[in-house]
């Protein structure tokens, strides 16, 4: 048994999850090079079920599962991975993030961003980078919006914000202690809140009008936030292109 699947044997699995685990263990070398559609067809289940199983054992999705599987199979053969190992893992994570996005969520957010309603975009720390990028792109596309980089200022605004306003909030951590008052204020004012985060268990999600959860991982090194936010930046880029593609071509 490879270490990647050891954890699954100590977990409570559904009948289908047990079926997936058995197939994985019986076909390790084959699964490592299959795509999600092929596998779901063979197992008579959905792509989402396979992805949920991969997340259940601690991974971001099926692409990261394949990456880890190839790595462990290589180690079993006493082969070392090449120097671009980190790039391969990042690519697998990126693919998982793209595959987890739902067009309906993106379309709902796009329609809000192109409306004439007041728009505030918030991001602080490293999350300020995607927030600034979105605000700059929308401004250049003639969509007026305000960038907020300080939590205290955002909270102050929510006490008197208009009910037709839109808050676009980017926070990887999704901390309840830091943002709950802001979200409660927005709910009382009936303000639309768009949340982009990478915490699937964020307590802020139920207070959001619409949300997207990316698979960026909260990482710290020497007490420094090193979360790449590649997943969040990808979502921002897709939204910008969705908006730009609908604009009339200037002569």
């Amino acid at each position: 048994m490879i270490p990647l699947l050891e954890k699954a044997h100590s977990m409570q699995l559904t009948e289908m999850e047990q079926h997936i685990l058995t197939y994985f263990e019986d076909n390790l070398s084959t699964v490592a090079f299959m795509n999600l559609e092929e596998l779901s067809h063979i197992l008579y289940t959905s792509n989402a079920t396979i992805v949920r199983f991969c997340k259940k054992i601690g991974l971001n999705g099926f692409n990261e599962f394949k990456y880890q599987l190839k790595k462990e199979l290589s180690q079993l053969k006493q082969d070392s991975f090449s120097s671009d190992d980190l790039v391969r893992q990042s690519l697998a994570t990126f693919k998982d993030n793209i595959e987890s996005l739902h067009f309906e969520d993106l379309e709902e957010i796009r329609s809000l961003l192109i409306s004439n309603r007041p728009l505030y975009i918030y991001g602080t720390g490293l999350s300020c980078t995607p927030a600034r990028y979105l605000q700059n792109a929308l401004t250049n596309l003639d969509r007026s919006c305000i960038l907020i980089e300080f939590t205290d200022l955002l909270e102050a605004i929510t006490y008197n914000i208009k009910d037709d306003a839109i808050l676009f909030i980017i926070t990887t951590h999704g901390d309840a202690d830091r943002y709950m008052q802001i979200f409660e204020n927005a709910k009382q004012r009936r303000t639309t809140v768009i949340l982009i985060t990478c915490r699937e268990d964020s307590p802020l999600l139920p207070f959001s009008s619409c949300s997207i959860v990316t698979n960026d991982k909260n990482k710290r090194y020497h007490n420094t936030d090193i979360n790449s936010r590649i997943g969040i930046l990808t979502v921002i880029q897709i939204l910008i292109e969705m908006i730009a593609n609908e604009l009339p071509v200037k002569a």
Side-chain angles (χ1 to χ4, degrees), residues 9 22-23 33 47 69 88 94 99-100 106 230 240 247-248:
H9 284 273
T22 301
Y23 185 85
F33 296 94
N47 293 2
L69 177 56
R88 294 177 186 273
F94 177 79
E99 291 177 357
S100 68
L106 293 168
I230 291 176
I240 291 172
L247 296 178

Side-chain angles (χ1 to χ4, degrees), residues 146-160:
I146 298 174
L147 176 67
I148 302 173
E149 301 179 38
F150 302 98
T151 309
D152 290 343
L153 176 58
L154 178 64
E155 182 176 342
I157 289 174
T158 58
Y159 284 104
N160 297 289

Side-chain angles (χ1 to χ4, degrees), residues 106-144:
L106 293 168
E107 178 59 27
E108 181 181 3
I109 295 173
R110 180 206 64 81
S111 64
L112 289 169
L113 293 180
I114 64 173
S115 68
N116 293 322
R117 297 162 60 181
L119 174 62
Y120 300 85
I121 300 173
Y122 167 83
T124 190
L126 289 182
S127 293
C128 184
T129 299
R132 278 177 176 269
Y133 178 43
L134 177 62
Q135 188 264 346
N136 182 67
L138 291 179
T139 300
N140 289 333
L141 293 172
D142 298 325
R143 170 56 160 115
S144 61

Side-chain angles (χ1 to χ4, degrees), residues 22-179:
T22 301
Y23 185 85
F24 280 178
E25 291 181 324
D26 292 342
N27 302 274
L28 291 175
S29 298
T30 303
V31 171
F33 296 94
M34 294 177 67
N35 61 48
L36 196 54
E37 288 72 22
E38 292 172 334
L39 187 60
S40 61
H41 178 73
I42 291 174
L43 294 173
Y44 296 101
T45 189
S46 65
N47 293 2
T49 300
I50 298 172
V51 171
R52 280 196 297 270
F53 172 81
C54 295
K55 290 184 176 181
K56 195 169 187 175
I57 61 175
L59 303 172
N60 282 317
F62 183 59
N63 286 301
E64 187 178 7
F65 172 82
K66 289 198 299 181
Y67 163 79
Q68 294 291 349
L69 177 56
K70 291 175 185 177
K71 182 177 180 179
E72 293 189 12
L73 289 175
S74 178
Q75 290 172 343
L76 287 175
K77 296 178 182 178
Q78 298 183 338
D79 293 330
S80 60
F81 252 24
S82 58
S83 59
D84 63 348
D85 192 27
L86 181 59
V87 174
R88 294 177 186 273
Q89 183 177 24
S90 297
L91 181 59
T93 302
F94 177 79
K95 288 181 178 179
D96 283 330
N97 186 66
I98 292 293
E99 291 177 357
S100 68
L101 296 176
H102 298 288
F103 176 77
E104 295 79 7
D105 296 333
L106 293 168
E107 178 59 27
E108 181 181 3
I109 295 173
R110 180 206 64 81
S111 64
L112 289 169
L113 293 180
I114 64 173
S115 68
N116 293 322
R117 297 162 60 181
L119 174 62
Y120 300 85
I121 300 173
Y122 167 83
T124 190
L126 289 182
S127 293
C128 184
T129 299
R132 278 177 176 269
Y133 178 43
L134 177 62
Q135 188 264 346
N136 182 67
L138 291 179
T139 300
N140 289 333
L141 293 172
D142 298 325
R143 170 56 160 115
S144 61
C145 52
I146 298 174
L147 176 67
I148 302 173
E149 301 179 38
F150 302 98
T151 309
D152 290 343
L153 176 58
L154 178 64
E155 182 176 342
I157 289 174
T158 58
Y159 284 104
N160 297 289
I161 196 170
K162 294 182 178 180
D163 59 5
D164 66 336
I166 299 169
L167 292 181
F168 190 106
I169 297 177
I170 302 174
T171 168
T172 58
H173 306 289
D175 301 326
D177 293 341
R178 189 176 188 182
Y179 295 108

